[in-house]
Amino acid sequence: MMVFDSAHKERCASLFLEWLPFIVVAIIWLYFAVLDPVPFWQQVGDYSWYALSHAFTFEAKVEGYRAANFGYNIHPGVPFGVVSWIAFRLATYAAGDSGERVVFAINHAETFWTWAKFIALVLNLSGMYVLKRMFKGDVVRFCIACCVYFAAVPASFGASFLQLTNESFALVYIVTFYWLIFRLLSEPDAVIGIGTMKVFSVSMRDLLSFCLGALTAFGLSMKIYYTAPAFGLVAGFWAAIVFGSFGKKSVVRLFGIFLGSFVLFGWLIVAFIVGLPALKTWILWNYGMLSHSNHYGSGEQGFIQLSSAFGAIKSLIFTTLGTFPMIVAFVAVVFVSVMIRNANDKSWGRKYFPFVVAISFGILINITGLLKHYAQHYALPLCASLVCLLLIQGKIVYSRVMSGFALSFVVMLLAVNLNSYAATHMHSIEMANAVIRDCKMIEKLPISSNEMRVWGYFSPTKNGILPMVKQYSGSDFISGIVLKSSSSVDIVPGNERDDSDWRYVLFPKAYYPSRESVFENYRKMFDFKATKFEIADTDNITELETFFLLVREQKYPLNKTH
């Protein structure tokens, strides 16, 4: 009979608690991403078809064809495009040549998207593993950190690991960046010998600065707001001089290595993936984002509107059922208590204050960007940054009772947030089923070979999305293959600006919530704005579950509403 002493039981409990977050995240992914997923063609966002178009672009380039994706140079970015292509290759490993792989991905889009979601899961599990390493065996603090990230907003599930998006990189990228900054600014240096004779050596701080420069180039190729930690690092270098942690010569050297690495890897990305013309477009696009006060470079000239900022705060409070402000308050209380307790300790200040300045400056940038350009998933880089505040330690030591209370509190918020996401997911499933019902009815309507069904943006159907995939892939090679797999009568407005052969026009309710909004907004939308299409008095509009259907020169009975 085996007898386990209390120390062994405690080690087993610690080991179980250490791996429990990984198990929970994997189970959540298995249920929502595999067992009960939203169908690929009925995804309400644009990341699913962006992923497919990016994969096609990279596939064309790998095979030696000219291709210039309309999206990955700007949105959602180069890393997203690369992992989308990896998912594409994993999904089509049994197919033959490149053309067969593209056809397989179109006909089996669910398989492609499952692999893409699996990569999103791996990215998040990798971020959690970095957290585990970062906290060096402090299991309770690791579990609290995981809960802080996944309890803040529902998007920490939906836009993080249950689909592939930019923010699938948020946890692993932000946490890795701040951990390296922490090691650079707050941990002792060491010399690394190169070669058996150690003829050449570099310091650990040199190596960390080099890695941070490369990471900055990587982050900038994702989205500009992923450079917040890099600006924080620059502020941290300044603080290291002020607090006497580093000498000026040392800081200049480290900053030079950081900057040189950034330029080197940035040039490699531009030279081999993006290209100089796209770089110019990227600069102008981001300048428009920064110099205008509304989403995606829209609105008036100016940096930020107070009304938009207050609206973002209101949304963060109410759309998260209060989990976001409570998570922020929780981390703030822990951070402030540590700072107050150690404020008069000069040795502690020299060790930790440069990192405190770095992460605080980075968080300030993330908060500003979130309030300026609000969408819930843009909160994820901020949430990942808040996790890293828990790195800061000092004289304050929390008892098991306090640690247990803190863990219980964030676990409760995690349950609330997961329930909130589950409700959203269920609604998405219901909407997907409604779209499928509408499509079956629409496809039964008579149409001749020289007439067109036109799907307005954003129509979550294969017929409405595949033309955009073809367009965004930016490759004649891909276009030829997609055309063979597409319906000959289904287009998006941008495919044919002359509306003379348009028979049916579909207006999705996500953008046209009422019959009145169709007439008010269709000429303002970018897709219809570029065409000659005008609604005529003889056109009939019928309301379906998820669309408004416009019929021109109607020859069969539908309720006439205009």
Side-chain angles (χ1 to χ4, degrees):
M1 181 177 179
M2 298 183 65
V3 179
F4 298 100
D5 58 18
S6 58
H8 182 78
K9 291 179 180 178
E10 189 170 328
R11 284 195 300 272
C12 289
S14 177
L15 187 63
F16 173 75
L17 194 61
E18 185 176 352
W19 291 102
L20 182 60
F22 295 93
I23 296 171
V24 170
V25 167
I27 291 173
I28 292 171
W29 180 86
L30 181 64
Y31 178 78
F32 288 107
V34 178
L35 300 179
D36 189 34
V38 178
F40 176 85
W41 299 111
Q42 279 70 54
Q43 294 283 329
V44 294
D46 51 15
Y47 279 105
S48 54
W49 69 266
Y50 272 163
L52 193 59
S53 76
H54 288 26
F56 287 171
T57 301
F58 274 97
E59 180 67 12
K61 285 190 171 186
V62 168
E63 294 298 319
Y65 297 97
R66 291 178 59 85
N69 193 281
F70 289 2
Y72 74 68
N73 297 332
I74 297 175
H75 175 72
V78 173
F80 176 86
V82 172
V83 297
S84 296
W85 178 73
I86 293 172
F88 167 79
R89 277 303 184 102
L90 289 170
T92 61
Y93 72 95
D97 60 17
S98 187
E100 290 178 3
R101 284 193 288 268
V102 172
V103 172
F104 182 92
I106 292 171
N107 295 333
H108 302 85
E110 302 297 341
T111 303
F112 160 76
W113 192 231
T114 299
W115 277 109
K117 290 182 287 186
F118 176 75
I119 291 176
L121 172 67
V122 171
L123 288 170
N124 278 265
L125 293 178
S126 300
M128 294 169 64
Y129 182 75
V130 174
L131 278 177
K132 179 175 170 290
R133 292 289 304 274
M134 190 167 75
F135 290 121
K136 297 179 179 178
D138 190 336
V139 178
V140 173
R141 202 152 50 119
F142 163 65
C143 291
I144 290 174
C146 290
C147 289
V148 163
Y149 180 74
F150 290 111
V153 292
S156 60
F157 299 110
S160 185
F161 67 92
L162 294 178
Q163 60 174 326
L164 181 64
T165 72
N166 267 345
E167 277 56 63
S168 298
F169 294 88
L171 185 61
V172 64
Y173 179 82
I174 297 293
V175 168
T176 300
F177 208 114
Y178 279 122
W179 185 33
L180 295 184
I181 291 178
F182 180 81
R183 294 184 63 185
L184 174 64
L185 299 180
S186 299
E187 291 187 353
D189 198 6
V191 175
I192 304 172
I194 306 297
T196 56
M197 302 298 294
K198 294 188 178 181
V199 175
F200 177 70
S201 63
V202 296
S203 73
M204 177 59 73
R205 285 175 178 163
D206 292 340
L207 184 59
L208 290 171
S209 296
F210 183 83
C211 291
L212 287 166
L215 277 176
T216 300
F218 180 85
L220 193 58
S221 72
M222 273 195 292
K223 268 292 179 65
I224 192 170
Y225 55 76
Y226 276 97
T227 60
F231 286 102
L233 174 61
V234 175
F237 279 143
W238 171 82
I241 296 174
V242 171
F243 290 106
S245 305
F246 293 2
K248 289 183 180 180
K249 289 184 178 180
S250 178
V251 168
V252 170
R253 178 167 174 261
L254 294 174
F255 178 75
I257 294 172
F258 164 76
L259 187 61
S261 175
F262 165 70
V263 171
L264 171 63
F265 284 93
W267 175 81
L268 289 173
I269 292 171
V270 171
F272 291 99
I273 300 178
V274 176
L276 286 175
L279 176 63
K280 180 180 179 181
T281 303
W282 179 88
I283 292 172
L284 293 174
W285 189 75
N286 280 287
Y287 174 76
M289 293 268 286
L290 294 172
S291 60
H292 289 75
S293 58
N294 213 327
H295 286 69
Y296 293 108
S298 62
E300 298 176 357
Q301 284 281 342
F303 184 68
I304 192 170
Q305 285 183 340
L306 287 179
S307 59
S308 298
F310 285 125
I313 293 171
K314 183 179 178 181
S315 294
L316 284 168
I317 293 173
F318 292 103
T319 63
T320 64
L321 302 181
T323 57
F324 180 80
M326 283 190 280
I327 285 293
V328 172
F330 169 79
V331 175
V333 167
V334 174
F335 173 69
V336 171
S337 63
V338 172
M339 293 296 294
I340 292 175
R341 188 69 178 266
N342 297 277
N344 296 322
D345 187 337
K346 292 184 179 179
S347 63
W348 184 91
R350 282 193 298 272
K351 179 179 181 181
Y352 284 107
F353 272 178
F355 178 72
V356 169
V357 170
I359 192 169
S360 299
F361 193 77
I363 286 175
L364 179 62
I365 293 174
N366 282 135
I367 291 174
T368 304
L370 179 61
L371 298 183
K372 169 183 170 64
H373 190 89
Y374 175 73
Q376 193 182 95
H377 61 281
Y378 293 142
L380 295 183
L382 171 61
C383 296
S385 302
L386 293 176
V387 166
C388 298
L389 285 174
L390 301 177
L391 258 177
I392 302 166
Q393 299 184 84
K395 295 178 181 178
I396 185 168
V397 178
Y398 295 104
S399 66
R400 284 193 172 188
V401 173
M402 290 185 66
S403 297
F405 174 79
L407 182 57
S408 300
F409 177 70
V410 292
V411 166
M412 179 194 69
L413 294 181
L414 176 64
V416 172
N417 195 45
L418 179 57
N419 184 67
S420 177
Y421 172 76
T424 302
H425 181 82
M426 184 178 297
H427 177 69
S428 297
I429 293 288
E430 292 172 353
M431 292 302 297
N433 291 333
V435 168
I436 292 170
R437 288 193 296 269
D438 281 351
C439 287
K440 288 180 178 178
M441 192 280 287
I442 292 167
E443 289 172 358
K444 290 179 181 178
L445 299 177
I447 188 169
S448 63
S449 59
N450 62 340
E451 294 176 328
M452 297 293 173
R453 276 191 301 252
V454 184
W455 302 82
Y457 188 87
F458 170 76
S459 298
T461 69
K462 182 176 181 179
N463 289 334
I465 291 173
L466 200 53
M468 293 192 294
V469 172
K470 176 178 71 70
Q471 179 183 355
Y472 265 68
S473 66
S475 165
D476 292 337
F477 167 69
I478 297 296
S479 295
I481 299 172
V482 173
L483 281 173
K484 295 178 182 178
S485 302
S486 304
S487 164
S488 61
V489 298
D490 291 286
I491 64 169
V492 294
N495 291 155
E496 188 171 331
R497 297 185 178 184
D498 184 357
D499 66 338
S500 58
D501 56 359
W502 291 14
R503 177 67 181 278
Y504 306 105
V505 184
L506 285 306
F507 300 94
K509 286 186 177 179
Y511 289 86
Y512 304 91
S514 65
R515 188 173 284 104
E516 291 74 21
S517 68
V518 173
F519 297 97
E520 293 172 2
N521 298 329
Y522 82 98
R523 289 304 303 174
K524 301 175 185 177
M525 287 292 287
F526 72 94
D527 52 348
F528 287 110
K529 190 175 182 179
T531 71
K532 299 178 180 180
F533 173 68
E534 295 279 355
I535 297 179
D537 292 337
T538 55
D539 294 337
N540 295 335
I541 295 181
T542 299
E543 182 175 0
L544 307 179
E545 288 186 79
T546 58
F547 293 95
F548 284 99
L549 169 65
L550 181 146
V551 184
R552 310 185 92 180
E553 299 180 2
Q554 202 169 332
K555 298 179 181 178
Y556 41 86
L558 285 174
N559 293 327
K560 186 173 180 178
T561 58
H562 177 65

